[in-house]
Amino acid sequence: MPKIYFIDVTNRDGVQTAKLGLSKLEKTMINIYLNEMGVFQSEFGFPTTKHESLYLKANLELAEMGVLQPIRLGGWIRAIVDDVETAFKLVPDIRHLNLSISTSDQMLKGKFQGRKKKDDLISEMVAAVDAAKALGTESIGVNAEDASRTGLDFLIKFGLAAKEHGADRLRYCDTLGYDNPFTIYETTMALAENTGMSIEIHCHGDLGMAVGNSIAGAKGAIDGGQDAYINTTVNGIGERAGNADLVAVILAITKSKGFAGKCQLGNPIDLSKSAKIAEFASYAFGVAIPMNQPGVGANAFAHSSGIHADGVLKDPENYELYSFEELGRGEPVKVETGREIIAGQYSGISGFSHIMGKMDVKFADREEASEILELVRYANVESQKPLVGEELLFIAKYPKIARKLLTLTPLE
Ligand SMILES: [Zn+2]
């Protein structure tokens, strides 16, 4: 039976969201948390964007060291030969890529303004796939941007051409959130049946259906005989109305009527990391988690009305589909209400040693403490807010990697 995998795109679609962004250290922490959760792949950034180079290399190094294992790190570029060559020039060790090109008539007319014909889209895409293969790419997804406004026949032709040149997956992008669960199911099933390729499902929430469309699209791919790869972002952060929320999609697949127990996940997911990753992303992006967010919102397990409170006290299953413990909630949280010593960009050695000591980190000598503190200062310059404990621990444990993440020198 075909399986469902997750490709999280927080570090690509999430960070390209207007008014939002993450520091390179925050992006790295997201990769670490996704790995802990069991997510198959992180679309970890833009290999043709110069300021991403050191971050991407540092994260590939973490993979090499076994820190970011078994998660796959995949880059996003345009499906043109030029981008493939630039990606390998800037990040020679990149091994997984998604190549993207718009496929709809709207984009041919409105974006390319008649400069490209339909067949040009295919010839450019296959040339990019060939180049990526030749340069050593191990897995390739081809993205049909605005696929939901593209004719099915052309999408099949596009997918088959990509497959013939060695692409592994076809990403069906509902770029504008135009699909509904019925239409996307039909389309992804037809694509799976007619291309024989694994189908990636990339949904947006412009009509409020990103999560529903993601699982319907995945079901279509599976019923068409192929594996499904669902694109998610943490807390649904993404362009305009956002993407499919990672935790909500996992809950929908594992808990919903007709899905629960029937769909096989490609690799086991540790839901107990949900609260942690959602809270970190909320802090890092500076975007509060809505109180009614599935699973991780403040009200997800709150009951007040008489009948519900009475019912849930008698048996939680009366009014809860899943338990808070499963999502990693329920542990007491210590909030400092008295004196606080915080590491910032102007911190000194005494305060910093105190903070690290509270987390049981002891430095060999003052020199080592100063070296780590210097990196923490730089990290604060980039993030402009106090680092969380796990960021401080990361810097103390991997100072060489941290130095790379924090080096932002404009390249020639
Ligand atoms: Zn998108």
Side-chain angles (χ1 to χ4, degrees):
M1 186 182 160
K3 297 187 170 116
I4 297 179
Y5 297 84
F6 298 98
I7 296 183
D8 188 86
V9 299
T10 306
N11 279 333
R12 199 276 300 170
D13 223 338
V15 297
Q16 71 186 45
T17 305
K19 305 168 196 170
L20 299 180
L22 295 175
S23 74
K24 305 307 182 197
L25 176 59
E26 287 163 345
K27 292 186 80 168
T28 304
M29 298 309 291
I30 292 282
N31 291 330
I32 289 173
Y33 295 151
L34 289 170
N35 183 48
E36 285 178 4
M37 218 170 157
V39 168
F40 175 74
Q41 180 166 325
S42 171
E43 188 150 284
F44 73 145
F46 305 87
T48 56
T49 302
K50 289 175 180 170
H51 65 70
E52 291 267 273
S53 291
L54 281 176
Y55 150 76
L56 296 170
K57 284 181 184 169
N59 275 256
L60 290 171
E61 219 172 303
L62 286 171
E64 194 69 30
M65 290 157 66
V67 180
L68 283 175
Q69 282 289 352
I71 198 167
R72 259 194 199 176
L73 301 173
W76 182 100
I77 56 174
R78 294 174 299 175
I80 52 176
V81 172
D82 214 28
D83 270 23
V84 176
E85 287 171 351
T86 305
F88 275 89
K89 203 171 95 201
L90 294 176
V91 192
D93 291 332
I94 193 99
R95 288 294 171 267
H96 307 282
L97 286 173
N98 268 72
L99 314 175
S100 181
I101 193 161
S102 308
T103 51
S104 65
D105 288 343
Q106 167 65 37
M107 294 295 186
L108 275 172
K109 204 164 65 190
K111 186 159 103 174
F112 299 132
Q113 309 259 320
R115 288 191 309 275
K116 290 183 209 279
K117 300 259 172 309
K118 270 197 143 162
D119 286 340
D120 298 335
L121 302 178
I122 293 186
S123 54
E124 280 185 20
M125 178 272 294
V126 295
V129 171
D130 287 344
K133 277 268 162 199
L135 287 165
T137 315
E138 286 165 19
S139 83
I140 299 176
V142 287
N143 304 2
E145 198 213 31
D146 205 16
S148 49
R149 295 193 297 177
T150 305
L152 180 62
D153 288 346
F154 184 71
L155 285 177
I156 292 169
K157 198 173 162 192
F158 182 85
L160 286 173
K163 185 182 172 188
E164 199 182 310
H165 287 255
D168 304 274
R169 303 179 308 273
L170 173 61
R171 179 178 291 182
Y172 175 85
C173 304
D174 182 17
T175 307
L176 269 73
Y178 175 53
D179 260 308
N180 62 55
F182 311 103
T183 55
I184 198 169
Y185 173 81
E186 294 290 331
T187 311
T188 54
M189 184 162 74
L191 287 174
E193 279 173 347
N194 289 288
T195 63
M197 292 177 92
S198 296
I199 306 294
E200 276 190 50
I201 296 103
H202 182 93
C203 298
H204 278 269
D206 299 71
L207 297 175
M209 292 186 282
V211 173
N213 285 345
S214 295
I215 69 162
K219 178 103 169 62
I222 287 168
D223 289 352
Q226 297 298 326
D227 287 338
Y229 290 76
I230 301 179
N231 288 182
T232 60
T233 63
V234 183
N235 298 341
I237 294 287
E239 295 196 279
R240 306 180 314 280
N243 293 57
D245 170 49
L246 171 70
V247 173
V249 170
I250 297 170
L251 287 172
I253 287 170
T254 55
K255 310 288 181 190
S256 73
K257 192 172 178 176
F259 255 83
K262 289 200 184 132
C263 284
Q264 243 180 300
L265 295 181
N267 39 318
I269 291 289
D270 184 356
L271 253 183
S272 75
K273 307 290 182 196
S274 302
K276 183 168 86 167
I277 195 169
E279 274 157 29
F280 179 76
S282 163
Y283 179 71
F285 276 116
V287 177
I289 300 172
M291 76 192 299
N292 57 348
Q293 180 88 355
V296 296
N299 266 6
F301 299 95
H303 308 273
S304 156
S305 72
I307 292 170
H308 280 237
D310 174 61
V312 88
L313 288 169
K314 283 177 175 147
D315 179 356
E317 284 188 30
N318 286 337
Y319 287 103
E320 289 173 0
L321 272 177
Y322 42 85
S323 74
F324 60 83
E325 290 95 342
E326 277 183 88
L327 294 161
R329 298 179 61 154
E331 289 296 314
V333 178
K334 197 172 159 239
V335 179
E336 191 57 72
T337 58
R339 179 180 301 119
E340 281 190 88
I341 308 292
I342 292 164
Q345 54 192 299
Y346 306 108
S347 286
I349 200 79
S350 158
F352 180 62
S353 300
H354 171 80
I355 293 162
M356 297 309 279
K358 277 177 119 176
M359 294 190 292
D360 292 326
V361 177
K362 302 242 174 345
F363 298 109
D365 47 38
R366 203 178 162 84
E367 200 183 327
E368 192 197 12
S370 302
E371 188 202 334
I372 304 301
L373 169 60
E374 198 58 34
L375 294 169
V376 168
R377 286 176 174 160
Y378 271 79
N380 271 285
V381 170
E382 204 195 344
S383 69
Q384 290 295 313
K385 56 183 175 295
L387 305 188
V388 302
E390 292 201 354
E391 286 177 295
L392 295 171
L393 293 172
F394 177 87
I395 293 173
K397 199 165 173 192
Y398 307 110
K400 283 205 181 83
I401 297 284
R403 191 178 299 280
K404 278 191 191 153
L405 293 172
L406 295 166
T407 304
L408 274 180
T409 309
L411 300 174
E412 289 294 310

